[in-house]
């Protein structure tokens, strides 16, 4: 019985540690995104508002972002799409997915106010940052 308890406790501790690391990474990205957006007119009431803004927007835009990443990869690997075209398609789709999530959260969240320029700027920044995931898998093209 004691061994089962230790195993469960170890699993729970590992899960909590992984969750804490993920939350710290998301918080750091949210603060970075908030700093970029602030240059373009983003206003917020607290740092927690910025973190919550990005967490909710990420959750909302996740299904479309998965599609935005998968489509260019499929077209690149299976249909011979040129690498630069796949990268451009990814940047456009991911920017739109992220922007849609940010606009939706901005609409419902009173503690933040994001201008269209701020949303597009940070969405484009995150898309360009992630383009290596599309091109990194296919070294032959």
């Amino acid at each position: 019985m004691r061994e089962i308890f230790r195993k469960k406790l170890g699993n729970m501790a590992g899960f909590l540690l992984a969750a804490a690391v993920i939350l710290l990474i998301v918080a750091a990205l949210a603060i970075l995104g908030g700093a970029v957006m602030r240059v373009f007119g983003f206003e917020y009431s607290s740092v927690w508002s910025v973190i919550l803004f990005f967490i909710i927007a990420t959750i909302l835009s996740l299904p479309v972002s998965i599609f935005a990443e998968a489509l260019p990869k499929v077209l690149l690997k299976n249909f011979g799409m040129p690498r630069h075209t796949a990268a451009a398609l990814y940047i456009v789709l991911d920017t739109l997915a992220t922007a849609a999530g940010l606009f939706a959260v901005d609409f419902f969240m009173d503690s933040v106010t994001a201008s269209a320029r701020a949303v597009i700027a940070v969405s484009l920044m995150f898309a360009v940052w992630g383009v290596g995931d599309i091109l990194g898998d296919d070294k032959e093209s």
Side-chain angles (χ1 to χ4, degrees):
M1 182 71 170
R2 198 177 273 187
E3 188 62 35
I4 293 172
F5 179 74
R6 284 186 197 168
K7 186 176 179 182
K8 296 288 183 191
L9 188 61
N11 289 344
M12 189 167 66
F15 174 78
L16 291 174
L17 179 63
V21 168
I22 289 170
L23 185 61
L24 284 172
I25 291 169
V26 169
L29 290 173
I31 292 169
L32 172 68
V36 169
M37 287 179 71
R38 186 158 188 159
V39 171
F40 294 98
F42 182 60
E43 297 176 12
Y44 53 90
S45 61
S46 68
V47 173
W48 175 245
S49 296
V50 176
I51 294 170
L52 191 60
F53 175 76
F54 278 97
I55 289 173
I56 295 170
T58 300
I59 292 168
L60 285 178
S61 64
L62 187 62
V64 181
S65 293
I66 291 171
F67 174 78
E69 185 172 338
L71 181 64
K73 280 184 177 183
V74 168
L75 294 174
L76 178 65
K77 284 188 173 257
N78 298 333
F79 295 99
M81 177 181 268
R83 291 170 56 86
H84 65 278
T85 306
L89 178 62
Y90 169 77
I91 289 172
V92 169
L93 292 176
D94 193 66
T95 299
L96 291 173
T98 304
L102 293 172
F103 278 127
V105 176
D106 177 49
F107 182 78
F108 290 106
M109 196 170 175
D110 293 334
S111 59
V112 297
T113 304
S115 68
R117 286 184 317 191
V119 169
I120 299 300
V122 80
S123 298
L124 184 60
M125 178 188 81
F126 285 140
V128 169
W129 190 359
V131 78
D133 295 340
I134 302 301
L135 301 177
D137 291 338
D138 186 38
K139 302 291 184 197
E140 300 159 3
S141 295

